[in-house]
Amino acid sequence: MNDCLPEQTYIWQFLEEKIKKVLDSYCYKEIRFPIVEKTALFTRSIGEVTDIVEKEMYTFEDRNGESLSLRPEGTAGCVRACIENGLLHNQQQKLWYKGQMFRYEKPQKGRYRQFNQIGIETYGIADADADAEVILLSADFWRTIGLTDVELQINSLGDEQSRAKYREVLVEYFRNSYELLDEDSKRRLEKNPLRILDSKNPEMADLVKNAPNLLEYLDEESERHFQRVQEYLNAAGISYVVNPRLVRGLDYYNRTVFEWVTTKLGAQGTVCAGGRYDGLVEQIGGRATPAVGFAIGVERIIALLEVCGVEISSKLPNVYIVSLGDKGQEQAFSVSSILRNEIDGITIMQNSGGGSFKSQFKKADKSGAGIALVIGEDEVEKGIVGLKYLREKREQETVSVSEIVSRMRELI
Ligand code: ATP
Ligand code: MG
């Protein structure tokens, strides 16, 4: 679990602000739900034979003996919140969330035990246009933050019957190469063979690559749906690769699944993953409601921004206030509060803890502020403020206190 220090937080804020703008532009609304849920919610939705439920959840008993877990992902809690609050019946919802998720993973680059996701979920739309919209929205994220090194992969898992048919063929295929399966895959063979396709073990790569093609077993309606998704993406000019071996690490998906992947982050190359999950709402106890969504791994996006050299600069203060003597320091409080009240968005760093003019100017320079306002005893007596430009060569000025607001408005 990582601390996010001040030298990093501005990058997170940059990302969150940009993404929020995209979400606003699509009229998605934010939903906030708890970090802790009953364990059963996750085992029922994510699936018993998944990495998450088998070995990654932070599970504990509360004082009442009830089993609770820190959320390992957002979708289950989002669905629960929507059902409980009556947001789904006969309605469409377009929602987003962000926050910490918890998984007991083997820590490595791009894999943490507390990590952050920003996710979206739509409810009540069975049509392929919802699948296309969420994919488009994710593409807009990358465009807005300046990321180009990501590739969209899509696939369709079909419906329950077609998946059952495929499952038989797949089990047969893996059974014929039983000795090549790793321990995890052997265990999954009976309970959840599709998950073997999602194996991260490089020794399994060849076997997975030659596995039967899921798309050849699609039912007609799923095929039409998948076709339609692709037509929408084509119309929007989004390029993609159909990857018939793309399945997800969670059990609740059907039909469209997709991932945005990069080759620039080593093994942990998936930065965004999602798909359709029409069965989940009913499975959790609501009325059947079609749904589609995705989650992006914020840590991985931030790592990718760095690797790709996308420059994000922190916001520097507009003004540093240098003050000397009791009267000067008092006046500094008065001037800074007038400026903050009058000029929306102004950022003022007021010198704290005294010090000589020289040491205060050193701090002013270091702060990166564009302007220093100087208030000594002399300035207080004359009712003026000294104004010094810190990053450009311009004459120092003096401004009367009564005009400081209008002068600063001109300057910043
Ligand atoms: P993976 O196959 O990488 O384990 P997953 O199938 O478990 O991913 P999801 O549950 O779909 O992933 O999560 C969506 C995204 O959240 C992932 O694509 C990834 O970017 C990010 N993510 C998942 N687990 C972690 C983690 N432990 N640390 C950091 N980011 C993560
Ligand atoms: Mg995982």
Side-chain angles (χ1 to χ4, degrees), residues 49 51 54-55 177-190 196 199 201 203-204 207:
V49 199
D51 283 350
E54 277 183 336
K55 50 190 187 196
S177 309
Y178 192 77
E179 66 290 353
L180 297 176
L181 295 178
D182 61 12
E183 282 314 305
D184 273 346
S185 304
K186 280 180 182 155
R187 216 159 23 83
R188 293 205 169 105
L189 190 56
E190 298 307 328
I196 300 176
S199 169
N201 183 353
E203 282 169 26
M204 295 277 301
L207 195 60

PDB file of all heavy atoms in Angstrom, residues 49 51 54-55 177-190 196 199 201 203-204 207:
ATOM      1  N   VAL A  49     -14.345 -19.133  -7.862  1.00  0.00           N
ATOM      2  CA  VAL A  49     -13.073 -19.639  -8.381  1.00  0.00           C
ATOM      3  C   VAL A  49     -12.325 -18.545  -9.136  1.00  0.00           C
ATOM      4  O   VAL A  49     -11.908 -18.719 -10.262  1.00  0.00           O
ATOM      5  CB  VAL A  49     -13.290 -20.862  -9.301  1.00  0.00           C
ATOM      6  CG1 VAL A  49     -11.990 -21.656  -9.440  1.00  0.00           C
ATOM      7  CG2 VAL A  49     -14.369 -21.755  -8.750  1.00  0.00           C
ATOM      8  N   ASP A  51      -9.201 -15.433  -8.759  1.00  0.00           N
ATOM      9  CA  ASP A  51      -8.058 -15.045  -7.916  1.00  0.00           C
ATOM     10  C   ASP A  51      -8.529 -14.182  -6.766  1.00  0.00           C
ATOM     11  O   ASP A  51      -8.133 -14.359  -5.626  1.00  0.00           O
ATOM     12  CB  ASP A  51      -7.041 -14.237  -8.738  1.00  0.00           C
ATOM     13  CG  ASP A  51      -6.226 -15.139  -9.632  1.00  0.00           C
ATOM     14  OD1 ASP A  51      -6.324 -16.370  -9.465  1.00  0.00           O
ATOM     15  OD2 ASP A  51      -5.507 -14.609 -10.496  1.00  0.00           O
ATOM     16  N   GLU A  54     -10.592 -16.258  -4.186  1.00  0.00           N
ATOM     17  CA  GLU A  54      -9.813 -17.361  -3.615  1.00  0.00           C
ATOM     18  C   GLU A  54      -8.692 -16.902  -2.710  1.00  0.00           C
ATOM     19  O   GLU A  54      -8.413 -17.507  -1.688  1.00  0.00           O
ATOM     20  CB  GLU A  54      -9.209 -18.217  -4.731  1.00  0.00           C
ATOM     21  CG  GLU A  54     -10.164 -19.236  -5.285  1.00  0.00           C
ATOM     22  CD  GLU A  54      -9.497 -20.112  -6.337  1.00  0.00           C
ATOM     23  OE1 GLU A  54      -8.497 -19.679  -6.946  1.00  0.00           O
ATOM     24  OE2 GLU A  54      -9.979 -21.231  -6.546  1.00  0.00           O
ATOM     25  N   LYS A  55      -8.010 -15.825  -3.109  1.00  0.00           N
ATOM     26  CA  LYS A  55      -6.792 -15.530  -2.329  1.00  0.00           C
ATOM     27  C   LYS A  55      -6.473 -14.060  -2.163  1.00  0.00           C
ATOM     28  O   LYS A  55      -5.435 -13.723  -1.613  1.00  0.00           O
ATOM     29  CB  LYS A  55      -5.597 -16.269  -2.947  1.00  0.00           C
ATOM     30  CG  LYS A  55      -5.458 -16.065  -4.439  1.00  0.00           C
ATOM     31  CD  LYS A  55      -4.418 -17.018  -5.025  1.00  0.00           C
ATOM     32  CE  LYS A  55      -4.196 -16.670  -6.485  1.00  0.00           C
ATOM     33  NZ  LYS A  55      -3.531 -17.679  -7.250  1.00  0.00           N
ATOM     34  N   SER A 177      -4.056 -31.866 -22.841  1.00  0.00           N
ATOM     35  CA  SER A 177      -2.682 -31.415 -22.529  1.00  0.00           C
ATOM     36  C   SER A 177      -2.547 -31.227 -21.027  1.00  0.00           C
ATOM     37  O   SER A 177      -1.881 -30.288 -20.577  1.00  0.00           O
ATOM     38  CB  SER A 177      -2.385 -30.100 -23.236  1.00  0.00           C
ATOM     39  OG  SER A 177      -2.698 -30.180 -24.591  1.00  0.00           O
ATOM     40  N   TYR A 178      -3.174 -32.106 -20.296  1.00  0.00           N
ATOM     41  CA  TYR A 178      -3.273 -31.937 -18.837  1.00  0.00           C
ATOM     42  C   TYR A 178      -1.912 -31.723 -18.169  1.00  0.00           C
ATOM     43  O   TYR A 178      -1.757 -30.894 -17.285  1.00  0.00           O
ATOM     44  CB  TYR A 178      -3.961 -33.160 -18.219  1.00  0.00           C
ATOM     45  CG  TYR A 178      -4.365 -32.949 -16.782  1.00  0.00           C
ATOM     46  CD1 TYR A 178      -5.491 -32.190 -16.458  1.00  0.00           C
ATOM     47  CD2 TYR A 178      -3.608 -33.490 -15.743  1.00  0.00           C
ATOM     48  CE1 TYR A 178      -5.858 -31.977 -15.139  1.00  0.00           C
ATOM     49  CE2 TYR A 178      -3.970 -33.286 -14.422  1.00  0.00           C
ATOM     50  CZ  TYR A 178      -5.100 -32.531 -14.130  1.00  0.00           C
ATOM     51  OH  TYR A 178      -5.450 -32.314 -12.825  1.00  0.00           O
ATOM     52  N   GLU A 179      -0.908 -32.454 -18.679  1.00  0.00           N
ATOM     53  CA  GLU A 179       0.408 -32.365 -18.013  1.00  0.00           C
ATOM     54  C   GLU A 179       1.061 -30.995 -18.212  1.00  0.00           C
ATOM     55  O   GLU A 179       1.980 -30.628 -17.482  1.00  0.00           O
ATOM     56  CB  GLU A 179       1.335 -33.516 -18.471  1.00  0.00           C
ATOM     57  CG  GLU A 179       1.769 -33.508 -19.930  1.00  0.00           C
ATOM     58  CD  GLU A 179       0.614 -33.844 -20.902  1.00  0.00           C
ATOM     59  OE1 GLU A 179      -0.507 -34.224 -20.479  1.00  0.00           O
ATOM     60  OE2 GLU A 179       0.842 -33.703 -22.101  1.00  0.00           O
ATOM     61  N   LEU A 180       0.571 -30.214 -19.186  1.00  0.00           N
ATOM     62  CA  LEU A 180       1.154 -28.887 -19.419  1.00  0.00           C
ATOM     63  C   LEU A 180       0.498 -27.794 -18.563  1.00  0.00           C
ATOM     64  O   LEU A 180       0.957 -26.655 -18.516  1.00  0.00           O
ATOM     65  CB  LEU A 180       1.011 -28.491 -20.904  1.00  0.00           C
ATOM     66  CG  LEU A 180       1.744 -29.383 -21.901  1.00  0.00           C
ATOM     67  CD1 LEU A 180       1.451 -28.949 -23.334  1.00  0.00           C
ATOM     68  CD2 LEU A 180       3.251 -29.338 -21.635  1.00  0.00           C
ATOM     69  N   LEU A 181      -0.597 -28.154 -17.904  1.00  0.00           N
ATOM     70  CA  LEU A 181      -1.317 -27.140 -17.107  1.00  0.00           C
ATOM     71  C   LEU A 181      -0.588 -26.858 -15.796  1.00  0.00           C
ATOM     72  O   LEU A 181      -0.042 -27.768 -15.174  1.00  0.00           O
ATOM     73  CB  LEU A 181      -2.733 -27.634 -16.783  1.00  0.00           C
ATOM     74  CG  LEU A 181      -3.683 -27.832 -17.956  1.00  0.00           C
ATOM     75  CD1 LEU A 181      -5.021 -28.366 -17.456  1.00  0.00           C
ATOM     76  CD2 LEU A 181      -3.889 -26.533 -18.722  1.00  0.00           C
ATOM     77  N   ASP A 182      -0.571 -25.598 -15.374  1.00  0.00           N
ATOM     78  CA  ASP A 182      -0.016 -25.299 -14.057  1.00  0.00           C
ATOM     79  C   ASP A 182      -1.069 -25.612 -12.987  1.00  0.00           C
ATOM     80  O   ASP A 182      -2.225 -25.937 -13.311  1.00  0.00           O
ATOM     81  CB  ASP A 182       0.507 -23.847 -13.978  1.00  0.00           C
ATOM     82  CG  ASP A 182      -0.584 -22.810 -14.217  1.00  0.00           C
ATOM     83  OD1 ASP A 182      -1.781 -23.174 -14.229  1.00  0.00           O
ATOM     84  OD2 ASP A 182      -0.248 -21.627 -14.390  1.00  0.00           O
ATOM     85  N   GLU A 183      -0.666 -25.491 -11.725  1.00  0.00           N
ATOM     86  CA  GLU A 183      -1.567 -25.905 -10.635  1.00  0.00           C
ATOM     87  C   GLU A 183      -2.903 -25.155 -10.656  1.00  0.00           C
ATOM     88  O   GLU A 183      -3.971 -25.746 -10.562  1.00  0.00           O
ATOM     89  CB  GLU A 183      -0.878 -25.697  -9.272  1.00  0.00           C
ATOM     90  CG  GLU A 183       0.134 -26.783  -8.933  1.00  0.00           C
ATOM     91  CD  GLU A 183      -0.392 -28.194  -9.193  1.00  0.00           C
ATOM     92  OE1 GLU A 183      -1.469 -28.534  -8.657  1.00  0.00           O
ATOM     93  OE2 GLU A 183       0.262 -28.955  -9.946  1.00  0.00           O
ATOM     94  N   ASP A 184      -2.799 -23.822 -10.835  1.00  0.00           N
ATOM     95  CA  ASP A 184      -4.018 -23.001 -10.875  1.00  0.00           C
ATOM     96  C   ASP A 184      -4.961 -23.483 -11.970  1.00  0.00           C
ATOM     97  O   ASP A 184      -6.167 -23.608 -11.778  1.00  0.00           O
ATOM     98  CB  ASP A 184      -3.659 -21.528 -11.147  1.00  0.00           C
ATOM     99  CG  ASP A 184      -3.340 -20.797  -9.852  1.00  0.00           C
ATOM    100  OD1 ASP A 184      -3.654 -21.338  -8.773  1.00  0.00           O
ATOM    101  OD2 ASP A 184      -2.780 -19.683  -9.928  1.00  0.00           O
ATOM    102  N   SER A 185      -4.382 -23.738 -13.124  1.00  0.00           N
ATOM    103  CA  SER A 185      -5.214 -24.115 -14.270  1.00  0.00           C
ATOM    104  C   SER A 185      -5.850 -25.483 -14.053  1.00  0.00           C
ATOM    105  O   SER A 185      -7.000 -25.712 -14.448  1.00  0.00           O
ATOM    106  CB  SER A 185      -4.386 -24.115 -15.545  1.00  0.00           C
ATOM    107  OG  SER A 185      -3.793 -22.853 -15.712  1.00  0.00           O
ATOM    108  N   LYS A 186      -5.105 -26.385 -13.443  1.00  0.00           N
ATOM    109  CA  LYS A 186      -5.674 -27.714 -13.169  1.00  0.00           C
ATOM    110  C   LYS A 186      -6.905 -27.575 -12.274  1.00  0.00           C
ATOM    111  O   LYS A 186      -7.922 -28.217 -12.476  1.00  0.00           O
ATOM    112  CB  LYS A 186      -4.640 -28.603 -12.474  1.00  0.00           C
ATOM    113  CG  LYS A 186      -3.652 -29.198 -13.448  1.00  0.00           C
ATOM    114  CD  LYS A 186      -2.625 -30.072 -12.754  1.00  0.00           C
ATOM    115  CE  LYS A 186      -1.624 -30.593 -13.783  1.00  0.00           C
ATOM    116  NZ  LYS A 186      -0.341 -30.929 -13.208  1.00  0.00           N
ATOM    117  N   ARG A 187      -6.781 -26.712 -11.318  1.00  0.00           N
ATOM    118  CA  ARG A 187      -7.893 -26.506 -10.395  1.00  0.00           C
ATOM    119  C   ARG A 187      -9.088 -25.870 -11.117  1.00  0.00           C
ATOM    120  O   ARG A 187     -10.242 -26.161 -10.847  1.00  0.00           O
ATOM    121  CB  ARG A 187      -7.422 -25.586  -9.263  1.00  0.00           C
ATOM    122  CG  ARG A 187      -7.993 -25.902  -7.911  1.00  0.00           C
ATOM    123  CD  ARG A 187      -7.161 -25.329  -6.784  1.00  0.00           C
ATOM    124  NE  ARG A 187      -6.331 -24.205  -7.181  1.00  0.00           N
ATOM    125  CZ  ARG A 187      -6.744 -22.950  -7.274  1.00  0.00           C
ATOM    126  NH1 ARG A 187      -7.972 -22.650  -6.986  1.00  0.00           N
ATOM    127  NH2 ARG A 187      -5.915 -21.999  -7.651  1.00  0.00           N
ATOM    128  N   ARG A 188      -8.764 -24.995 -12.064  1.00  0.00           N
ATOM    129  CA  ARG A 188      -9.839 -24.278 -12.759  1.00  0.00           C
ATOM    130  C   ARG A 188     -10.521 -25.126 -13.821  1.00  0.00           C
ATOM    131  O   ARG A 188     -11.609 -24.784 -14.275  1.00  0.00           O
ATOM    132  CB  ARG A 188      -9.258 -23.038 -13.431  1.00  0.00           C
ATOM    133  CG  ARG A 188      -8.784 -22.060 -12.401  1.00  0.00           C
ATOM    134  CD  ARG A 188      -8.765 -20.651 -12.935  1.00  0.00           C
ATOM    135  NE  ARG A 188      -8.557 -19.762 -11.816  1.00  0.00           N
ATOM    136  CZ  ARG A 188      -7.413 -19.155 -11.564  1.00  0.00           C
ATOM    137  NH1 ARG A 188      -6.406 -19.260 -12.392  1.00  0.00           N
ATOM    138  NH2 ARG A 188      -7.296 -18.392 -10.513  1.00  0.00           N
ATOM    139  N   LEU A 189      -9.845 -26.165 -14.226  1.00  0.00           N
ATOM    140  CA  LEU A 189     -10.324 -26.949 -15.365  1.00  0.00           C
ATOM    141  C   LEU A 189     -11.784 -27.361 -15.199  1.00  0.00           C
ATOM    142  O   LEU A 189     -12.569 -27.261 -16.128  1.00  0.00           O
ATOM    143  CB  LEU A 189      -9.426 -28.178 -15.545  1.00  0.00           C
ATOM    144  CG  LEU A 189      -9.649 -28.953 -16.826  1.00  0.00           C
ATOM    145  CD1 LEU A 189      -9.487 -28.064 -18.046  1.00  0.00           C
ATOM    146  CD2 LEU A 189      -8.677 -30.123 -16.903  1.00  0.00           C
ATOM    147  N   GLU A 190     -12.157 -27.804 -14.004  1.00  0.00           N
ATOM    148  CA  GLU A 190     -13.532 -28.244 -13.805  1.00  0.00           C
ATOM    149  C   GLU A 190     -14.465 -27.073 -13.510  1.00  0.00           C
ATOM    150  O   GLU A 190     -15.542 -26.966 -14.071  1.00  0.00           O
ATOM    151  CB  GLU A 190     -13.614 -29.245 -12.641  1.00  0.00           C
ATOM    152  CG  GLU A 190     -12.819 -30.519 -12.882  1.00  0.00           C
ATOM    153  CD  GLU A 190     -13.166 -31.205 -14.197  1.00  0.00           C
ATOM    154  OE1 GLU A 190     -14.340 -31.122 -14.634  1.00  0.00           O
ATOM    155  OE2 GLU A 190     -12.260 -31.819 -14.804  1.00  0.00           O
ATOM    156  N   ILE A 196      -8.728 -20.052 -17.472  1.00  0.00           N
ATOM    157  CA  ILE A 196      -7.373 -20.490 -17.837  1.00  0.00           C
ATOM    158  C   ILE A 196      -6.831 -19.599 -18.956  1.00  0.00           C
ATOM    159  O   ILE A 196      -5.641 -19.318 -19.021  1.00  0.00           O
ATOM    160  CB  ILE A 196      -7.381 -21.984 -18.263  1.00  0.00           C
ATOM    161  CG1 ILE A 196      -7.881 -22.845 -17.093  1.00  0.00           C
ATOM    162  CG2 ILE A 196      -5.989 -22.433 -18.700  1.00  0.00           C
ATOM    163  CD1 ILE A 196      -8.021 -24.324 -17.419  1.00  0.00           C
ATOM    164  N   SER A 199      -4.751 -16.738 -17.856  1.00  0.00           N
ATOM    165  CA  SER A 199      -3.549 -17.053 -17.062  1.00  0.00           C
ATOM    166  C   SER A 199      -2.423 -16.057 -17.340  1.00  0.00           C
ATOM    167  O   SER A 199      -2.180 -15.664 -18.468  1.00  0.00           O
ATOM    168  CB  SER A 199      -3.076 -18.465 -17.397  1.00  0.00           C
ATOM    169  OG  SER A 199      -1.801 -18.671 -16.828  1.00  0.00           O
ATOM    170  N   ASN A 201       0.618 -16.807 -16.416  1.00  0.00           N
ATOM    171  CA  ASN A 201       1.830 -17.617 -16.404  1.00  0.00           C
ATOM    172  C   ASN A 201       2.393 -17.753 -17.826  1.00  0.00           C
ATOM    173  O   ASN A 201       1.761 -18.347 -18.696  1.00  0.00           O
ATOM    174  CB  ASN A 201       1.475 -18.997 -15.822  1.00  0.00           C
ATOM    175  CG  ASN A 201       2.687 -19.879 -15.699  1.00  0.00           C
ATOM    176  OD1 ASN A 201       3.782 -19.524 -16.166  1.00  0.00           O
ATOM    177  ND2 ASN A 201       2.509 -21.038 -15.076  1.00  0.00           N
ATOM    178  N   GLU A 203       4.497 -19.662 -19.024  1.00  0.00           N
ATOM    179  CA  GLU A 203       4.634 -21.053 -19.470  1.00  0.00           C
ATOM    180  C   GLU A 203       3.339 -21.618 -20.052  1.00  0.00           C
ATOM    181  O   GLU A 203       3.337 -22.647 -20.716  1.00  0.00           O
ATOM    182  CB  GLU A 203       5.112 -21.933 -18.312  1.00  0.00           C
ATOM    183  CG  GLU A 203       6.602 -21.757 -18.074  1.00  0.00           C
ATOM    184  CD  GLU A 203       7.061 -22.389 -16.783  1.00  0.00           C
ATOM    185  OE1 GLU A 203       6.407 -23.346 -16.317  1.00  0.00           O
ATOM    186  OE2 GLU A 203       8.065 -21.900 -16.237  1.00  0.00           O
ATOM    187  N   MET A 204       2.255 -20.923 -19.781  1.00  0.00           N
ATOM    188  CA  MET A 204       0.952 -21.370 -20.300  1.00  0.00           C
ATOM    189  C   MET A 204       0.615 -20.688 -21.630  1.00  0.00           C
ATOM    190  O   MET A 204      -0.397 -20.996 -22.258  1.00  0.00           O
ATOM    191  CB  MET A 204      -0.141 -21.048 -19.285  1.00  0.00           C
ATOM    192  CG  MET A 204      -0.036 -21.802 -17.969  1.00  0.00           C
ATOM    193  SD  MET A 204      -0.767 -23.415 -18.132  1.00  0.00           S
ATOM    194  CE  MET A 204      -2.431 -22.940 -18.602  1.00  0.00           C
ATOM    195  N   LEU A 207      -0.019 -22.800 -24.927  1.00  0.00           N
ATOM    196  CA  LEU A 207      -1.217 -23.626 -24.794  1.00  0.00           C
ATOM    197  C   LEU A 207      -2.478 -22.762 -24.957  1.00  0.00           C
ATOM    198  O   LEU A 207      -3.418 -23.126 -25.666  1.00  0.00           O
ATOM    199  CB  LEU A 207      -1.199 -24.293 -23.411  1.00  0.00           C
ATOM    200  CG  LEU A 207      -2.154 -25.452 -23.192  1.00  0.00           C
ATOM    201  CD1 LEU A 207      -1.852 -26.575 -24.179  1.00  0.00           C
ATOM    202  CD2 LEU A 207      -2.019 -25.977 -21.758  1.00  0.00           C
TER     203      LEU A 207
END
